[in-house]
Amino acid sequence: MTKDSSQALEARLREQDYFRPSPKFVGQANQTDPEIYDRFDEGYPDAFAEYAELLDWDEPWDEVFDGSNPPFFKWFTGGKLNASYNCIDRHLDERKNQTALLWEGEDGEQRNISYQDLYREVNEFASLLREVGVKEGDIVTLHMPMVPALPVTMLALARIGAPHSEVFGGFSAQALADRVDDANSDYVVTIDGYYRRGELLNHKQKADEAMELADHDVENVLVWTREDELHPDVELEDGRDLHVEDLLEDHRGARVAPVSRDAEDPLFLMYTSGTTGQPKGCQHRTGGYLAYAAGTSKYVLDIKPEDTYWCMADIGWITGHTYIVYGPLALGTTSVMYEGAPDFPHKSRTWEIAEKYDVDVFHTSPTAVRMFMKWGEQYLEDYDFSFRHMTTVGEPIQPEAWLWYYKYVGNEEAVIVDTWWQTETGGHLITNLPALKDMKPGSAGVGCPGITPALVDDSGDLLEPATGQAGNLVITRPWPGMLQTVYGDDERFISTYWADFSDTDSDDWRDWMYKAGDGAVHERDGYFRILGRLDDVMNVAGHRLGTMELESAVAEVEDVAEAAVVSRKDEAKGEVPDVYVILREGIEAGDDVRQRIVGAVEEEIGKFARPANVLFVDDLPKTRSGKIMRRLLENISNDEELGNTTTLRDPSVPEKIRDQLKSE
């Protein structure tokens, strides 16, 4: 494509508000019945049985929904099932030789783990866990990177009825210790090392440090190995540490009957950050969660058993739990896992993997899309892949990044679903079913079937729907994938998610609204546009602006690779925006670029939103999952103490930015 034709195409795409899924996609989609929205709405809550029927149950449920004790809702009461059985055993008759997990190590090692292989490995490890002393109901904490042993461990624990609590492998020893203490875990599972940018890192040292920091006495640390031999820098502590591979020799060929679990029995804990600094253990049930994971994987992600599906997330986050492990495997598909960095040993590694495994469905984050966009489309040109369906997850995606994703990654053929959900929700809540609704760049879309998003003002009064107003996002009805509680702290569960916008004295579940903590706009077309966390919404001269709106305007400038907007206190306007910008490779910082950025904000939003400062930086403070920590940038803008930076991918970035600004 010539430069002129490419620019003409980009201009056409920018002028287009909606994008229709192709007839080819619609013709093969899992869900093409437009009546599904009315069916789930009018048949609520019983319509969610449609998701539960995707699973195999040991005993059928008596009642789909029990709302008698809000907000402690119950789903599929009386039903019994096992998550491991649903993800493995039931597929063996039809597809035991089909690949379940297709794993690629950063070093190029590849493992094709069939459903039969997965059955064998999960049973053997479940047998080992029982011998060690893990019992039904024990919460076992995992601290593992993206290696096959992680899903094997999760599914083995699910098999014996022991909830797992996976801590993201990049988290510190202190973060691990805090979660071990909160869950009162007697057993921890880790690995000796993993590859990152060509180096075999010593991962177990974090577990060693965590055991020193934890108040709870852990009985055993089970240690997997990444290579054939134990990492040379790793030592096993006598009486505490157990070398998994050595112990597995005594369990070869073992078979463990899956424990039949009540639908309301916990399947796992997933910790998420809290405003108090103390992480919240979101407790997810077995039946409702697994049903919702399977239903949304089938209808939103359009996953089929014959697909090769790749979600680039880490299993240490909820996206990986729901949409790498439980959802795809419940549907019997092939789920891709990649161990390493997306740019090692080169910036085309992602597309190399996509071509190598002929990936059909691709799932990534706006952060990754912006990173790919910054590197440039030239890194895709030498690779032959064709995605049918693409997802974004984790944060709002700016229209400019969406268009780049659609054009260069999806080749204007793949559908895109922009999904809004949370650790707490278990699965997608706001996004379009891809064959039934047009795509709109920058918009998550409508509520999923049976899901009722709404906006309230700060007093909790419902705003008129579809009027273009911004407000606090709430979900007015329960759903099967939602968290049961905050582990060990029911009061915190109520105060965090329900107290602000619910009648907490009422016994009627209809008086309880889930508080998402995000701001959103309900557009006149019925689509929801997520503004981001309420902490990321600023009040500029009486105008409520989301950082996403401002960052989207900044991204209109072609020189910009990535941007973060934060609030600076201002005596006259209350708050004004500061823009932190990373420029594309080869672009020089200067007043001309700065003026283009200011002009874009004025044109897209208005002069009242004019940035106070445009600051060019080499990097932005990001968590290990890639999310920008705007709070730290806001601290810099307002000359405040930075606070804790240990959860950052590179804790030195905020100080470097502060030093750079002082020198300028």
Side-chain angles (χ1 to χ4, degrees), residues 37 59 61 63 154 156 175 236 248 254 279 289 472 474 491 561 621 645:
Y37 291 102
E59 296 182 20
W61 57 88
E63 190 177 21
M154 292 165 60
L236 300 180
L248 276 174
Y289 167 81
N472 303 284
V474 296
E491 290 184 6
T645 60

Side-chain angles (χ1 to χ4, degrees), residues 446-460:
V446 302
C448 290
I451 305 300
T452 51
L455 302 180
V456 298
D457 61 21
D458 291 339
S459 300

Side-chain angles (χ1 to χ4, degrees), residues 274-350:
T275 55
T276 64
Q278 179 66 26
K280 304 186 295 286
C282 297
Q283 178 177 309
H284 281 285
R285 57 177 59 81
T286 300
Y289 167 81
L290 191 61
Y292 202 74
T296 50
S297 292
K298 182 171 183 176
Y299 290 164
V300 175
L301 301 181
D302 197 53
I303 290 175
K304 300 170 176 60
E306 61 269 22
D307 283 336
T308 299
Y309 160 83
W310 184 18
C311 174
M312 287 185 68
D314 194 291
I315 296 175
W317 308 111
I318 188 66
T319 300
H321 274 49
T322 304
Y323 297 122
I324 296 178
V325 181
Y326 286 113
L329 295 184
L331 296 179
T333 196
T334 298
S335 188
V336 176
M337 291 177 61
Y338 172 55
E339 175 185 35
D343 59 347
F344 187 86
H346 52 77
K347 290 179 179 177
S348 297
R349 185 68 185 268
T350 299

Side-chain angles (χ1 to χ4, degrees), residues 30 58 80 108 161 191 210 277 312 582 622 652:
N30 285 332
D58 301 330
K80 292 183 180 295
I191 194 168
M312 287 185 68
I582 298 176
K622 295 179 181 178
S652 68

